[in-house]
Amino acid sequence: MQEMVQTILAFIFLHILKGKRGENVARKYRYIDFEDRKRIARLWSIGTPAQAIAEEIGTDPATISRELRRGYPGKDGRNKRPAYNPVIAQKAVEAGIARRGKKRTQAVAL
């Protein structure tokens, strides 16, 4: 009985570590650099769905969705889709890094 439970747990554990097509899910979590952002812009402008872009870049579709929101310049592009600007997205990321890098220096009065 204990061996059967261990076998089932091992199967579940291995199944969780695998993605849809057997690739390692841990490889999908990574930072997007400016070259990736330019690829996202090119693919998005020709009408490629976010899921297909995620597979092309090698990341999760939710990451691409957040990236598309981050690089939205406030107007629609061709095909009535929200436009994506990699320069705006890169500046937003750099501003976030700079903001998080600053420590609060406010003194607490006792």
Side-chain angles (χ1 to χ4, degrees):
M1 179 72 171
Q2 189 177 17
E3 288 180 25
M4 189 166 76
V5 171
Q6 287 178 342
T7 304
I8 292 170
L9 288 175
F11 175 77
I12 292 171
F13 180 73
L14 290 174
H15 184 69
I16 290 171
L17 290 179
K18 295 292 181 179
K20 284 192 302 188
R21 297 193 177 111
E23 70 271 10
N24 189 346
V25 174
R27 291 180 59 199
K28 289 191 165 205
Y29 297 108
R30 64 182 189 85
Y31 290 104
I32 294 177
D33 59 12
F34 189 63
E35 293 302 316
D36 291 333
R37 288 185 175 90
K38 290 194 289 190
R39 281 177 60 195
I40 291 169
R42 182 177 47 80
L43 292 169
W44 184 250
S45 70
I46 61 173
T48 308
Q51 178 124 12
I53 294 173
E55 290 175 8
E56 174 78 22
I57 301 292
T59 188
D60 193 72
T63 303
I64 298 301
S65 178
R66 282 189 302 272
E67 188 62 31
L68 290 171
R69 284 193 308 269
R70 182 179 292 131
Y72 179 63
K75 61 182 177 180
D76 291 340
R78 295 189 333 218
N79 306 334
K80 306 269 186 201
R81 295 176 92 175
Y84 173 75
N85 187 330
V87 175
I88 291 173
Q90 184 69 28
K91 286 181 180 179
V93 168
E94 290 171 358
I97 291 170
R99 184 179 59 248
R100 285 189 306 274
K102 294 181 180 179
K103 301 286 184 193
R104 290 187 182 187
T105 58
Q106 185 178 8
V108 178
L110 295 177

